[in-house]
Amino acid sequence: MHVLLVEDDAVLADGLIRTLQGHGMQVELARDGLQADLALQRNPPLVAVLDIGLPGIDGFEVVRRLRARGDATPVLLLTARDAVEDRVRGLETGADDYLVKPFATPELVARIRALGRRNAPKSTVLTLGNLVFDSGARRARVGERALDLSAREWAVLEYLLQQAGRVVSKQQIIDAIAPWGDDLTLNAVEVYVSRLRLKLDGAGLQLRTIRGFGYLLEAGTAT
């Protein structure tokens, strides 16, 4: 269970990390609002545990940006602010739950697990030709051969499968898998598609370049 913890108090953060890890959670730490905003874009967690009073941008702004991107990652706000208006603001901004400091760690763990169950990925299996692509289990295979894919190759292939039978441009691929100015270029898309063609050998697929338009993934063997 991947949890993003956003907390600028080093002592509190260290204690929370040890507690959550002791309950079998994989914890990523961000120490300010800008780090949190970037982490949520690059490696979305199952649950984000977010302090409100942060350097850079505060927790309210982190949540606002998250929801503006259409990201439904559950957010649990941690704060010393117990005023009703702060709790209301947090929930109206898009947070899913709210816990006021000081809090009991068993309650924190229980709330994180409850949010995690809500956000647990559903296994979606896509098949085309001899390719079986299981997005929930993060496994792909051609026949009995498992595909070894980088994170970016995985994302490109998933998008192409979702759009199978349609021509998609390089920019559409970038917009789908690397929004908000991430470091993915048109040339990089070409590289990932070239690698995928090699790895999909024997899959009974064509990953065609439609000159001037983009790429088309479809079942069938190249002639």
Side-chain angles (χ1 to χ4, degrees), residues 170 173 184-197 215:
K170 296 174 191 176
I173 294 173
L184 184 60
T185 65
L186 298 176
N187 288 339
V189 172
E190 291 182 11
V191 171
Y192 293 128
V193 168
S194 178
R195 291 177 184 172
L196 286 173
R197 284 192 176 112
Y215 301 106

Side-chain angles (χ1 to χ4, degrees), residues 13-35:
D14 182 65
L16 289 175
I17 289 171
R18 285 187 279 106
T19 295
L20 298 180
Q21 288 177 336
H23 285 83
M25 300 180 191
Q26 176 191 348
V27 185
E28 178 183 0
L29 176 65
R31 296 191 181 276
D32 62 44
L34 292 174
Q35 286 184 10

Side-chain angles (χ1 to χ4, degrees), residues 131-134 138-142 145-147 149 154 157:
L131 172 66
V132 178
F133 186 98
D134 188 335
R138 304 294 287 183
R139 289 194 293 265
R141 58 184 171 82
V142 172
R145 173 172 62 89
L147 293 183
L149 301 171
W154 178 278
L157 180 56

Side-chain angles (χ1 to χ4, degrees), residues 3-220:
V3 174
L4 174 66
L5 173 64
V6 189
E7 174 59 65
D8 63 320
D9 183 320
V11 175
L12 178 57
D14 182 65
L16 289 175
I17 289 171
R18 285 187 279 106
T19 295
L20 298 180
Q21 288 177 336
H23 285 83
M25 300 180 191
Q26 176 191 348
V27 185
E28 178 183 0
L29 176 65
R31 296 191 181 276
D32 62 44
L34 292 174
Q35 286 184 10
D37 187 47
L38 184 60
L40 285 163
Q41 295 179 63
R42 291 188 176 277
N43 187 24
L46 192 61
V47 176
V49 180
L50 181 66
D51 191 14
I52 287 180
L54 296 169
I57 59 175
D58 66 17
F60 294 129
E61 177 63 14
V62 174
V63 177
R64 188 197 67 77
R65 294 185 183 188
L66 180 74
R67 298 304 184 229
R69 294 193 292 269
D71 191 324
T73 297
V75 174
L76 171 62
L77 290 179
L78 299 180
T79 183
R81 306 177 186 181
D82 59 359
V84 172
E85 55 266 29
D86 286 326
R87 283 178 283 178
V88 171
R89 181 183 175 190
L91 296 172
E92 288 185 343
T93 301
D96 298 271
D97 202 354
Y98 199 106
L99 200 54
V100 176
K101 301 174 184 176
F103 49 81
T105 52
E107 182 179 6
L108 172 65
V109 171
R111 287 176 183 247
I112 292 173
R113 284 180 169 165
L115 291 174
R117 286 192 295 271
R118 184 188 309 174
N119 196 40
K122 308 298 187 295
S123 181
T124 300
V125 178
L126 303 173
T127 60
L128 191 66
N130 300 323
L131 172 66
V132 178
F133 186 98
D134 188 335
S135 61
R138 304 294 287 183
R139 289 194 293 265
R141 58 184 171 82
V142 172
E144 298 302 315
R145 173 172 62 89
L147 293 183
D148 182 10
L149 301 171
S150 70
R152 278 284 165 78
E153 290 166 355
W154 178 278
V156 172
L157 180 56
E158 182 173 31
Y159 180 70
L160 290 171
L161 280 167
Q162 291 169 345
Q163 304 299 321
R166 302 187 183 96
V167 177
V168 295
S169 69
K170 296 174 191 176
Q171 189 60 53
Q172 284 177 304
I173 294 173
I174 291 173
D175 292 343
I177 73 173
W180 296 87
D182 205 353
D183 58 346
L184 184 60
T185 65
L186 298 176
N187 288 339
V189 172
E190 291 182 11
V191 171
Y192 293 128
V193 168
S194 178
R195 291 177 184 172
L196 286 173
R197 284 192 176 112
L198 294 175
K199 295 184 178 185
L200 291 173
D201 183 51
L205 303 175
Q206 291 189 68
L207 179 44
R208 299 167 52 199
T209 298
I210 309 299
R211 194 168 301 278
F213 292 96
Y215 301 106
L216 172 64
L217 180 67
E218 57 186 356

